Amino acid sequence: AWYATPTLAYARELGHDVRPTEAWIRPEHGAYLDAWYSRLRDAYLATMADMGVTTTLTEPEFLTAMETHKHHSPLPTAVLSAIKSTVKGGIGKLRER
């Protein structure tokens, strides 16, 4: 069976003798999910800006905008929900260590 490196490391911590016979190795180093993270972050910020929540707001304006941003039209709210679901359930899980 195929197992991820953290799974094998955990099995070894539990005292199992782990001896992989084959491995798939990614020769490039780096954060391969950064491009997706950046796109989702930009989409989130753009959608929030469409709903009146921007980074240029003062603290009271920001709090007011956060209280009312979900009362806008249903389309941006649905897009925001889809972005959050993708981050939390998809790319966010892959970025966890």
Side-chain angles (χ1 to χ4, degrees):
W2 288 93
Y3 297 100
T5 302
T7 305
L8 297 178
Y10 183 60
R12 185 163 278 178
E13 285 178 22
L14 294 176
H16 297 282
D17 185 27
V18 177
R19 296 182 194 187
T21 57
E22 289 183 83
W24 182 81
I25 299 173
R26 184 171 48 96
E28 302 88 30
H29 302 295
Y32 59 98
L33 297 175
D34 276 355
W36 284 104
Y37 170 78
S38 296
R39 288 178 188 208
L40 288 168
R41 182 199 61 223
D42 293 346
Y44 177 82
L45 291 174
T47 305
M48 289 298 283
D50 290 345
M51 298 171 84
V53 181
T54 64
T55 57
T56 59
L57 297 174
T58 64
E59 187 174 336
E61 291 171 335
F62 175 79
L63 294 174
T64 301
M66 286 301 290
E67 287 177 10
T68 60
H69 81 279
K70 290 188 178 182
H71 303 296
H72 286 269
S73 69
L75 182 59
T77 304
V79 170
L80 188 63
S81 177
I83 293 168
K84 286 181 177 181
S85 295
T86 303
V87 170
K88 289 180 181 178
I91 203 82
K93 294 293 183 191
L94 294 173
R95 286 181 59 94
E96 287 180 359
R97 295 182 178 199

